[in-house]
Amino acid sequence: MKINFHGKNIWFDKHRYDEAEKRFYEGANGPAAQQQQVAAPVQQVKVTNGDDADDDDIDLFGSDEEDEEAELIKQERLEAYAAKKAKKPTVIAKSSILLDVKPWDDETDMAKLEECVRTVQMDGLLWGASKLVPVGYGIKKLQINCVVEDDKVGTDILEEEITKFEDYVQSVDVAAFNKI
């Protein structure tokens, strides 16, 4: 029985509740751990003081000779790994970029605009296919594809170089960017 006395719970017959809880869990989980240990035999282990002469043969901390051998093996493995890695060609990260180059108006010479865009040459830049796409009101934009090496050419540099042709180019947008 539990009684609330000035904000504190007082348990009368708490031992009965504890015993009932113990029986409940024993029934749910099988016999108690004490009953299971009765069946297991206890084995005696003999402890010695270390008087045996065999203890001198064991080197717990290793010897310097083994450390030198391990260091030589480690060095040989590192050299073999470096040689193997040197033979392997490095993968160059490339991206395919689709640019939208927009002219000022419908009177802009689009053939000249494309010619100007293709004059932009950089190490790691390769121009691909292009087409004229209608925007509206007779204005067409140039969609041109290029492949770039990520370490050498960035989209911001590319946009900057193309927008230098102020007579033809109003703006440049990246329509698609895909890693290869």
Side-chain angles (χ1 to χ4, degrees), residues 18-85:
D18 290 340
E19 184 66 28
E21 184 178 23
K22 179 180 172 188
R23 278 186 268 132
F24 170 77
Y25 285 115
E26 285 178 357
N29 297 328
Q34 294 173 350
Q35 294 174 352
Q36 290 178 354
Q37 288 179 353
V38 173
V42 177
Q43 296 181 358
Q44 294 288 334
V45 177
K46 183 179 176 185
V47 178
T48 60
N49 277 342
D51 296 338
D52 297 335
D54 295 338
D55 289 346
D56 295 337
D57 296 340
I58 301 172
D59 186 6
L60 296 177
F61 300 106
S63 66
D64 291 338
E65 292 174 10
E66 291 176 6
D67 290 343
E68 290 172 7
E69 289 177 22
E71 190 63 36
L72 286 173
I73 291 172
K74 181 180 175 184
Q75 188 64 28
E76 288 174 3
R77 288 182 180 166
L78 285 173
E79 289 172 3
Y81 175 74
K84 181 180 177 184
K85 191 167 182 156

Side-chain angles (χ1 to χ4, degrees), residues 7-19:
K8 297 182 180 177
N9 292 326
I10 300 174
W11 284 84
F12 294 107
D13 302 324
K14 182 170 183 336
H15 67 280
R16 287 180 49 210
Y17 293 107
D18 290 340
E19 184 66 28

Side-chain angles (χ1 to χ4, degrees), residues 95-112:
S95 299
S96 173
I97 303 173
L98 183 65
L99 297 172
D100 282 345
V101 183
K102 296 174 188 158
W104 285 107
D105 55 22
D106 62 339
E107 295 177 1
T108 304
D109 184 4
M110 296 305 287
K112 184 68 176 162

